[in-house]
Amino acid sequence: MKLIQPRLNYKLSLKDLWTIFKSFFEKSKTEESGVNSVFNTGQVFFFDYARSGLFIALGVLPRNSRVGIQPFTCPTVLEAIENAGCIPVFIDINEHFVIDSEIVKKNIDQIDALILTHTFGFPADVVKIKSVLKDKLLIEDCAHAFLTKTNDNYAGTTGDFSIFSYGFAKFPSAMQGGFLIVNNLSYLDKIQREFESVKSSSCIKYSILLFKMLVLSFLNTRVIYNLITIKLKDKKSSKFTYKKHLTDKSNIKKAIVYGKALFESKLLNSNELLEKQKLNGRKIIDALKTNNNFKVIQDSEGMNFFMIPVLTDNPEHFINYCRIEGIEVGRHFFQSKMIILHYNYIDSSCPNYEKYINQFVTISCHYNYPQKKILKLIEIIRKYKK
């Protein structure tokens, strides 16, 4: 079998390593960021994870508030809702893998707030949804959607709050961290107080986390990935069990120094990285459209091409076919169908989700993806037959 190209972006360049090294000797400026200029706001709060920012944002709601969320989501979002003392209410997605205003209208009486996920960097129509919600809280989940545009504005600039992630395999990939943007200034004082009470990790913990991140990056280099990592992943996925992670304010931390420093360095050429990613994605989508075995889920100008999910009749067949050809594709969030059962999901309540979860495959096209492998992916897509 050929060496397999890993699908996720865990690559660290020498420049990245130098940025990380320098970060230990420079004073962190958590209150200042290039994000302020990108989103034209000063209300940005950096945390160790995006889920920490979400937990803090949800704290403005009364306990037992009903929070609308699509079932096609990361378990950390569901954990944040529950840990904040709120109740997740599952809302279906449309054929573009996002919640739309019509779906919100049907569920408006069942929710007190909504977390709107720009899935895989797909732009949801935030303006229409916000008009339906009226005074109900809207949080944009932009963990996949940095620099995605919706209604000619960046995703994350319309909701009351928005959360972003720049951890490994995100866009941009900067090891570990996330941030919360406060757009509704009526909540700013409360968030500011909460943020000031959050502590930073100790230097020892920084060092331990950094070591783990460097090991993770090493395990995702192509040769090591094929010798060790992919075998460990196969074993883990075959024995999947879900254990909830409990979060309270005591274990939420401010931004990890090296993660924020690496993210800030990538902001300097983020538009260049975005254009690389969009070019890769455009080539792959053009190839997908030539093969009737695939259905492209969304193709809009504003998407950032974080990943390309497509529908196909036999996902596992395509995944195995690609693997034999030396390319890894996957099923991002596929395990959500087991995880939502732990949050009282009612069978048949989200029919679109239940249909699509068994048909989709995600194809990577990130800015670090080798061009030779992009061409290989295109070749595989064009010749694939089920």
Side-chain angles (χ1 to χ4, degrees):
M1 186 179 287
K2 302 174 184 177
L3 281 181
I4 297 167
Q5 172 64 40
R7 69 189 183 95
L8 299 179
N9 185 11
Y10 285 81
K11 182 179 179 181
L12 288 174
S13 66
L14 290 175
K15 182 180 178 182
D16 292 338
L17 293 173
W18 175 243
T19 299
I20 293 165
F21 176 76
K22 288 193 301 178
S23 71
F24 279 81
F25 302 96
E26 295 175 348
K27 185 179 179 181
S28 176
K29 298 180 180 179
T30 306
E31 72 283 359
E32 299 176 10
S33 169
V35 170
N36 300 71
S37 57
V38 172
F39 293 96
N40 194 28
T41 178
Q43 323 309 330
V44 183
F45 300 90
F46 282 82
F47 292 91
D48 51 352
Y49 299 99
R51 62 177 176 262
S52 298
L54 177 58
F55 175 83
I56 294 296
L58 289 167
V60 305
L61 291 168
R63 290 190 68 83
N64 296 318
S65 292
R66 302 162 301 169
V67 179
I69 182 66
Q70 63 186 47
F72 197 72
T73 192
C74 178
T76 59
V77 175
L78 296 169
E79 290 163 2
I81 294 171
E82 188 174 78
N83 291 332
C86 298
I87 302 166
V89 176
F90 291 106
I91 296 178
D92 207 1
I93 52 176
N94 63 17
E95 68 274 17
H96 302 303
F97 273 41
V98 293
I99 293 172
D100 61 34
S101 57
E102 292 303 313
I103 294 171
V104 175
K105 283 179 185 178
K106 293 176 183 177
N107 293 272
I108 193 66
D109 294 331
Q110 281 72 54
I111 61 174
D112 303 304
L114 176 69
I115 297 175
L116 179 64
T117 308
H118 298 284
T119 321
F120 301 125
F122 291 167
D125 195 334
V126 193
V127 173
K128 282 187 178 180
I129 290 169
K130 190 171 177 62
S131 69
V132 174
L133 286 171
K134 297 181 179 178
D135 294 331
K136 294 185 178 184
L137 189 76
L138 175 59
I139 302 175
E140 292 183 67
D141 180 353
C142 304
H144 294 174
F146 184 69
L147 299 186
T148 281
K149 283 196 169 182
T150 171
N151 303 112
D152 294 323
N153 295 311
Y154 284 124
T157 56
T158 305
D160 298 294
F161 298 102
S162 57
I163 55 165
F164 290 80
S165 174
Y166 51 83
F168 262 146
K170 295 298 196 305
F171 172 65
S173 179
M175 297 185 75
Q176 185 175 357
F179 57 93
L180 169 71
I181 294 180
V182 182
N183 294 315
N184 187 334
L185 299 185
S186 66
Y187 296 114
L188 183 59
D189 287 344
K190 179 175 176 58
I191 299 300
Q192 184 71 56
R193 290 194 300 271
E194 291 293 327
F195 183 74
E196 288 172 357
S197 69
V198 173
K199 297 179 180 180
S200 298
S201 295
S202 66
C203 288
I204 293 175
K205 189 169 184 180
Y206 278 148
S207 301
I208 293 171
L209 288 171
L210 177 59
F211 176 75
K212 289 180 178 178
M213 292 295 106
L214 293 174
V215 170
L216 189 58
S217 178
F218 174 71
L219 288 172
N220 279 270
T221 56
R222 194 172 174 211
V223 173
I224 302 302
Y225 190 83
N226 280 266
L227 288 174
I228 300 172
T229 313
I230 199 164
K231 297 178 178 64
L232 294 175
K233 285 177 63 177
D234 288 345
K235 185 176 181 180
K236 183 178 179 181
S237 63
S238 67
K239 298 180 179 180
F240 174 76
T241 55
Y242 173 62
K243 181 180 179 181
K244 293 183 182 181
H245 293 87
L246 299 178
T247 299
D248 57 35
K249 233 172 72 170
S250 66
N251 53 30
I252 286 176
K253 304 296 179 186
K254 291 180 180 176
I256 304 296
V257 169
Y258 57 79
K260 183 171 183 290
L262 189 54
F263 171 66
E264 296 286 0
S265 72
K266 291 184 183 293
L267 273 180
L268 299 176
N269 65 335
S270 58
N271 286 324
E272 179 184 338
L273 299 179
L274 176 64
E275 288 309 309
K276 281 185 180 180
Q277 195 158 279
K278 291 177 79 169
L279 183 60
N280 290 343
R282 178 57 54 205
K283 291 176 181 177
I284 292 170
I285 280 187
D286 287 346
L288 287 164
K289 288 180 176 179
T290 67
N291 190 329
N292 291 331
N293 288 292
F294 302 106
K295 180 182 178 182
V296 174
I297 293 167
Q298 188 170 155
D299 181 10
S300 65
E301 186 62 30
M303 53 198 272
N304 70 353
F305 286 92
F306 171 71
M307 282 185 185
I308 303 172
V310 295
L311 300 180
T312 187
D313 289 339
N314 193 337
E316 290 302 323
H317 183 270
F318 179 63
I319 289 169
N320 292 331
Y321 180 81
C322 289
R323 190 164 179 168
I324 291 168
E325 294 292 324
I327 297 289
E328 182 183 44
V329 297
R331 308 188 73 181
H332 211 70
F333 289 168
F334 179 69
Q335 291 171 338
S336 64
K337 70 179 192 176
M338 285 81 82
I339 293 167
I340 57 176
L341 301 178
H342 295 265
Y343 295 89
N344 301 316
Y345 177 80
I346 299 173
D347 190 42
S348 301
S349 62
C350 297
N352 285 340
Y353 164 77
E354 292 181 19
K355 175 183 175 182
Y356 297 143
I357 193 69
N358 294 313
Q359 296 180 354
F360 86 103
V361 173
T362 46
I363 301 171
S364 295
C365 59
H366 57 77
Y367 58 85
N368 274 329
Y369 211 93
Q371 284 303 302
K372 286 185 178 180
K373 298 303 176 182
I374 292 290
L375 294 176
K376 182 64 178 177
L377 256 173
I378 291 169
E379 177 190 338
I380 290 169
I381 289 166
R382 288 188 185 278
K383 71 180 183 181
Y384 174 71
K385 295 179 181 179
K386 61 182 179 182

